[in-house]
Amino acid sequence: MTLRTRFESSDDIGVFAYLTNAYCLVAAGASQNFYSVFEQELANHIPVIYTSIGGSRVVGRLVAGNRHGLVVPSTTTDQELQHLRNSLPDTVKLQRVEERLSALGNCVVCNDHVALIHSDLGRETEEVLRDVLQVQTFRTSIAANALVGSYSVATNKGCMVHPKTSAEEMDEIASLLQVPVVAGTINRGNAAIGSGIVVNDWAAFCGLTTTATEITVVERIFQLRRGAMGAGDDGNLLQNVRDTLVDELA
């Protein structure tokens, strides 16, 4: 299921929220309407946690996590850290890390098994990610962009990347993540996918301007509406991506 919503006047849902299979973080101070969209869809399955990180509402760009754990930057206050500890499921490890590249959400994209990380991320941070999130880590870029978390989003079922990602890059990312990979856009042609959508293994939330064609691609690659993709679906998916790009360039 893919739902459209908006944070105040912004369609960049991935800036103000962070979604995994075990919890969802939503910016504190959000309008009740924004918060309720997540609550209605997720509350029966996972906790939806109102929070800030270092006093900032851009929580989706500052943290990295999956169902095993959550890593937050050193700017996170003791009060925020305690609030997260009290709100997260007991099975989720929480760790604050000293890292120069403090916008972890821009520098890391992960599912429950693998994390792709910014090539300049600190070695200690990489070790923390491996330990807390229980993932393998790989330093890479996406369409020549080091901010892998800004230009891709991944789950245990699929991955969506920047529309200018080459076929060779997509093959490499697919082999690392062990899931299908497709290039596409969100929010009517926006290439910053990580900022425009949050998704887990059964739900996705994107901006109000996201087109029906873009949503079709999202639901296919993340398998949100059907079971596993059939043999003929890959071609249809690629055609949908082409249609999307043609729509946006027209």
Side-chain angles (χ1 to χ4, degrees), residues 55-74:
S56 172
R57 297 198 293 178
V58 295
V59 295
R61 299 298 84 205
L62 296 175
V63 305
N66 60 16
R67 71 179 175 87
H68 302 295
L70 177 65
V71 180
V72 298
S74 57

